Amino acid sequence: MSLNPLHIKLPGGNVDIKGSVKAQKELFDIHLEGLVKNFDYGIIARRIDPKTDMHGKISFKFDLNSLANTPDSLMNNANGFIGFAAWPKAFQANLIDLWAVSLADAVLPKFMNKDNSVLNCVAGGFNVKNGNMTQRDLLLDTSRIQVHGAFDASYKNRDFSLYLSPKSKRAQIFSLQTPVEVNGSFEKFHFGVPLSAILETSVRFTTSPVVAPLQWLFEKPIAANGSAECQRIWQGKP
């Protein structure tokens, strides 16, 4: 069976899907491709809860091959690429019951509440091999900092680990910028600060009165809005 292509027009935007399924002795050989550009997810959110102000744009891309016998086991043996980027304007995680959305809801306040940052975009590009997903690029961009991440997840075991390292867009004196580690299962995870991150933060904090002025002179500040970088990441471009 092949599907080439399927175009779905929704109020928030269009969804394009291609795919094929080939029957084997025990499993199905499945290939799926999908593309969503600048989808307004606020329309769907308001259909779930008419009172929500959740809205924004999301782009999504995937190209996956897998051997599976049920939709639930599709990702257990998957190989390929998944990319996404979101430009949230208002966020309400408990409206959508997905583990990745719950993770985002837990992570975002760690980097935004203290300095009144404005979230520009979030993007990830992930390589998938035999059901294991690792980041090609992972970025959280705000008006004041950029957060880069290292991510590893297993769909077979339904667990993951995530290391997030923030960096101010302009060098600052006595800025902590402490990395955060998140790990656990898709259903239940916890935060921590590794010992190495504490030592690194202590050294940076102590030396910042010397290092920061040199960075002001010789380093180019990070762009105020990283949307172009988010676009590159979700499309899987180098």
Side-chain angles (χ1 to χ4, degrees), residues 39 80 94 99 121 167 178 199 236:
F39 189 90
N94 58 5
W99 74 269
C121 61
K167 182 179 180 181
T178 306
L199 295 175

Side-chain angles (χ1 to χ4, degrees), residues 67-222:
L67 294 174
N69 52 16
T70 67
D72 290 341
S73 62
L74 173 67
M75 291 300 299
N76 290 356
N77 302 306
N79 293 277
F81 174 80
I82 297 174
F84 80 92
W87 293 263
K89 299 302 180 183
F91 189 71
Q92 184 182 344
N94 58 5
L95 193 66
I96 301 175
D97 186 17
L98 294 173
W99 74 269
V101 177
S102 298
L103 175 61
D105 181 50
V107 166
L108 289 175
K110 302 290 183 181
F111 300 105
M112 296 186 61
N113 283 353
K114 294 180 180 180
D115 58 6
N116 297 317
S117 293
V118 175
L119 178 61
N120 294 321
C121 61
V122 180
F126 304 94
N127 295 318
V128 184
K129 185 175 181 180
N130 298 326
N132 295 314
M133 186 165 66
T134 56
Q135 93 291 339
R136 185 184 295 182
D137 292 289
L138 183 59
L139 175 68
L140 186 157
D141 186 85
T142 80
S143 56
R144 295 176 180 266
I145 64 170
Q146 274 195 347
V147 182
H148 291 270
F151 181 82
D152 182 79
S154 170
Y155 278 93
K156 293 179 182 178
N157 300 326
R158 295 190 62 78
D159 59 11
F160 74 97
S161 63
L162 172 64
Y163 186 88
L164 297 168
S165 181
K167 182 179 180 181
S168 295
K169 292 195 168 182
R170 182 172 175 81
Q172 297 180 8
I173 295 176
F174 299 132
S175 175
L176 291 176
Q177 302 177 37
T178 306
V180 173
E181 189 174 55
V182 192
N183 53 57
S185 67
F186 290 175
E187 292 77 21
K188 187 177 181 180
F189 46 83
H190 60 274
F191 287 86
V193 180
L195 178 60
S196 59
I198 295 175
L199 295 175
E200 177 186 344
T201 302
S202 299
V203 172
R204 184 171 54 247
F205 183 84
T206 304
T207 59
S208 63
V210 176
V211 175
L214 295 176
Q215 292 176 315
W216 295 336
L217 291 174
F218 299 108
E219 283 191 358
K220 183 179 178 180
I222 300 172

